[in-house]
Amino acid sequence: MSRLDDAIHPEVPPSGEGCVECLAHPHGWWFHLRRCAACGQVGCCDTSPAQHASAHAREAGHPIAQSFEPGEDWMWDYELSVAVPTVDLAPPTSRPESQRPPAPRDRIPDDWRERLHRVDGVPIPGVDGVPIPGADGADEGAR
């Protein structure tokens, strides 16, 4: 059995439609979502303030996550910091289309853009005036 076989369980459904830990906190919110390929836990991305998906990978020893965003199916190995071949996971494969980031809408602070994590000054598509490839009105509706 390979390392990836041990880290990916395609039959496990996602834990829900949003970051489990953010939803458990009254002020929790996220920018984008990632889904653990081993246990299905949905967590917030590293751009989000709490970065629950990568914390879960470290703490649970589940290194592989898949994007939980509509239209994305890429997978990432947090331990090795590399993309890995995509595997079809149990549905649903993304958050609902109607749940536009950031979310949940009733928890987003007015200064949400300033609270996002940026790596080495790289602009964030849909936030820093950079369009999201293939998306029209990417930041529409965000406060």
Side-chain angles (χ1 to χ4, degrees):
M1 180 175 273
S2 78
R3 179 178 169 278
L4 288 180
D5 290 338
D6 203 29
I8 300 173
H9 300 279
E11 72 283 358
V12 177
S15 60
E17 296 180 348
C19 176
V20 172
E21 293 176 83
C22 285
L23 288 171
H25 187 279
H27 301 291
W29 61 277
W30 59 83
F31 188 59
H32 288 139
L33 298 170
R34 308 294 177 243
R35 171 187 177 175
C36 177
C39 70
Q41 179 165 321
V42 176
C44 54
C45 70
D46 282 352
T47 302
S48 300
Q51 303 175 331
H52 287 125
S54 59
H56 171 77
R58 286 188 306 277
E59 294 163 10
H62 297 166
I64 310 299
Q66 185 172 52
S67 175
F68 202 57
E69 293 297 311
E72 298 181 3
D73 66 355
W74 55 265
M75 297 184 103
W76 184 255
D77 185 327
Y78 282 108
E79 187 177 304
L80 301 178
S81 294
V82 297
V84 295
T86 299
V87 174
D88 290 334
L89 300 179
T93 58
S94 74
R95 63 166 171 78
E97 290 267 353
S98 61
Q99 182 195 92
R100 296 185 55 125
R105 283 281 175 221
D106 62 338
R107 298 183 184 184
I108 304 166
D110 290 337
D111 64 344
W112 69 270
R113 287 177 178 85
E114 288 76 40
R115 295 180 186 216
L116 297 177
H117 290 267
R118 289 168 170 78
V119 179
D120 299 326
V122 175
I124 301 170
V127 173
D128 294 327
V130 178
I132 296 174
D136 293 327
D139 198 29
E140 180 182 306
R143 300 189 332 167

